[in-house]
Each structure stands twice: as C-alpha cells, then as structure tokens.
Amino acid sequence: MTEQEVVAKLEEAIVSYDEELATKMAQEAVHGDVDPLRAVDDGLVKGLDIVGKRYENDEIFLPELMMAASTFQSAMDILEPLIMEKGQSRSVKGVVVIGTVKGDIHKIGKDILILLMRNAGYEVHDLGEDVDLFTFIETAKKENAHAVGLSALLTSTLSGQKDVIDALKQNGMRDRYIIMVGGGAVTAEWAERIGADLYGENAQIAVRKLGEALSGKEN
Ligand code: B12
C-alpha cells in the first residue's frame, strides 16, 4: 500500500471506530515506508477532528467519542515505538513538567506532545490529566523544571491554565519557568492574555518553539 492509502485508511478507522482496521494499518505503517508522524497527524488526528465535528453537531454521542479515542490509542500503541526509534537526540535538552488542567481528562494531544518532546531529548514528567495547580507547581519545583506545559481542551477548563500562571506570579516564581499552553480550546490570543510564554497549535510547533525559548533563556 502507498503512504497515502495507509494514511487514508487510518482516518477511516477512527471515523468508523474500527480498531481492527486501525491496528492493521498501523502495522502496515510500521512495516511499510510510512512516516509515522504523518500517519498520526494526517490520518488519526484528522479522523478525530471529523468525529469531534460530528459530536458537536449532535450526529453522534459520547459513546462514539469514546470509541474513537480508544481506536486512536490502539493504533498509537503500535506507532509509538516507531516514532521513538526515529528520534534523533540522546542528550537531555531540558526538563518539562506537563499535564492536563483540573476538570479536563483529554490526554491524546498532550501524550503526542510528550512523545515528541521525549523524542527530541527532553526529560518529561507527565502529571496526567485533571491536575490541580499545586501539583503543577510542586512538581516543577521538585524536578527543577525548565518548562511547564498546560493542556486544556474544554472552554470551561481554560481558566485552569491562568490559575497556574497567577499562582506562580503570586509566589514570585513566574520567571523560573517557560510556560507552554495548548490543547483544542486554546488560541494564540488566550495564551497572550494569560501571559504564557509559548502557544503550540500542534505538537511539532510546540517542540520547535520550546527549543527556541530555551536557547533564548540561556543567552
Ligand atoms: C477524543 C475526545 C474525547 C475523549 C478523550 C479521550 C482521551 N483520553 O483523551 C472523551 C470521550 C473522554 C471526551 C470527553 C469529553 N469531551 Co471531548 N473530544 C474528543 C475529541 C473528539 C478529540 C480530542 C483530541 O484528542 N484531539 C486530537 C489531539 C491530537 O488534538 P489536541 O488535543 O488539540 O492536541 C494537539 C494540540 O492542541 C497541541 N496540544 C495539546 N495539548 C497541548 C499542551 C501544550 C502545553 C502545548 C504546547 C500543545 C498542546 O498538540 C496536540 C498534538 O498536535 C474532541 C474534538 C476535537 N477535534 O478536538 C472533543 C472535544 C474536545 N470534547 C468536547 C466535550 C464537550 C467533551 C465532554 C464534556 C463531553 C461530555 N458531554 O461528557 C467530555 C469532557 C470530559 C472531561 N471532563 O474532560 C468538546 C469541547 C468543547 C469545548 N470547546 O469546550 C470537543 C471540542 C468536541 C466538540 N466539538 O464538541 N472527549
């Protein structure tokens, strides 16, 4: 199969909640000459976007959303080792503490970003989902983090990002960390408004901007 066909089938697998097709195509990607990041972005994530729109339009409901997420994970389990294998860097570039903010359990995007950051040579501490602001701050302190990543996919949980930044300011710790924000609900305007250092509309861009921000800090 061509790369194009595999990518299209991965999208189809998510949209039809077909785990068997998803794992089969992920294996095809591993054995064939398919760029695993393309398989994720142009196949799996595109499928999730379609599912998200259908949900928004009341064409499908929560169980379908959950099935799409689990189909995504089954393909990701197979693609992850391949993405890691293609990683270039072995030296630690910096320490990042990341999680999804309080009240929000979305993790797929955060986990892709974690994978790419580890792949690029960062030591990443994943706090998981539904993380309160104290956990972000305490872990950043304990791990001597260079950066703190805050993911939010719900409009109603966006304020959790602001809460962490405000608490850091109140404790005189704001300048210690590069604060990165992202997730479906975040916009560049919001990131600027709450005083984040970096907004990543997708994981690749976030990793690039993090590298730039860290080298800027050293100078
Ligand atoms: C899968 C999914 C779920 C799954 C999540 C499974 C999981 N374990 O993650 C389940 C079924 C559990 C779920 C539940 C809910 N969901 Co939901 N979900 C989605 C869906 C379809 C895909 C999300 C996703 O993973 N996208 C793919 C990833 C790769 O994209 P991403 O997260 O944006 O991440 C990229 C970038 O944003 C960036 N990024 C992400 N995080 C970070 C962090 C940093 C620091 C940086 C720099 C960058 C960055 O990099 C990533 C990779 O490129 C979206 C629709 C959509 N298209 O987004 C709805 C969506 C987010 N969900 C929605 C809703 C409403 C819900 C529920 C409230 C539904 C309900 N009635 O219960 C619950 C909320 C539960 C909760 N408390 O959190 C709405 C949110 C609307 C809003 N704006 O508030 C959406 C937009 C659907 C819709 N169109 O209505 N959901």
Side-chain angles (χ1 to χ4, degrees):
M1 284 177 96
T2 66
E3 182 171 85
Q4 189 62 42
E5 282 165 344
V6 174
V7 167
K9 286 276 176 202
L10 282 168
E11 179 190 319
E12 184 191 321
I14 299 294
V15 173
S16 54
Y17 329 114
D18 188 340
E19 283 200 24
E20 210 181 305
L21 181 64
T23 49
K24 202 170 143 213
M25 286 305 120
Q27 269 148 4
E28 183 80 29
V30 171
H31 298 303
D33 199 16
V34 175
D35 173 3
L37 285 181
R38 224 197 122 202
V40 174
D41 277 348
D42 297 347
L44 298 173
V45 172
K46 227 170 123 203
L48 275 183
D49 281 343
I50 295 171
V51 170
K53 293 216 172 70
R54 288 187 182 162
Y55 175 79
E56 204 178 342
N57 296 332
D58 286 335
E59 290 165 36
I60 58 167
F61 300 96
L62 196 55
E64 283 90 348
L65 213 56
M66 290 168 80
M67 284 195 289
S70 117
T71 307
F72 183 98
Q73 198 51 54
S74 60
M76 212 47 206
D77 290 345
I78 297 166
L79 292 171
E80 241 183 68
L82 183 64
I83 295 173
M84 284 310 277
E85 220 174 80
K86 295 208 167 180
Q88 324 89 343
S89 179
R90 291 286 161 261
S91 61
V92 175
K93 284 194 190 143
V95 178
V96 182
V97 166
I98 187 170
T100 306
V101 298
K102 189 84 201 138
D104 199 326
I105 60 164
H106 292 87
K107 64 179 226 175
I108 293 174
K110 165 183 70 67
D111 287 354
I112 293 177
L113 175 58
I114 291 172
L115 184 65
L116 296 198
M117 287 194 292
R118 287 191 174 138
N119 209 27
Y122 292 96
E123 178 186 318
V124 184
H125 298 268
D126 179 12
L127 300 177
E129 302 76 51
D130 190 19
V131 181
D132 62 71
L133 71 96
F134 301 105
T135 307
F136 278 111
I137 294 174
E138 286 309 311
T139 315
K141 221 159 60 177
K142 187 169 131 249
E143 302 297 342
N144 270 321
H146 298 94
V148 176
L150 308 165
S151 185
L153 270 90
L154 300 172
T155 316
S156 58
T157 58
L158 270 180
S159 58
Q161 297 180 328
K162 185 175 181 297
D163 292 344
V164 175
I165 296 177
D166 289 349
L168 284 171
K169 279 185 192 155
Q170 275 159 20
N171 289 293
M173 292 161 67
R174 173 63 187 90
D175 293 336
R176 282 196 210 169
Y177 311 110
I178 291 166
I179 306 287
M180 342 167 32
V181 294
V186 182
T187 60
E189 290 71 33
W190 168 256
E192 203 186 326
R193 208 168 100 203
I194 62 172
D197 298 297
L198 182 167
Y199 163 59
E201 51 266 65
N202 69 40
Q204 278 96 327
I205 293 176
V207 174
R208 177 175 54 74
K209 286 187 180 173
L210 175 61
E212 289 165 3
L214 275 172
S215 56
K217 248 196 160 181
E218 278 161 18
N219 295 334

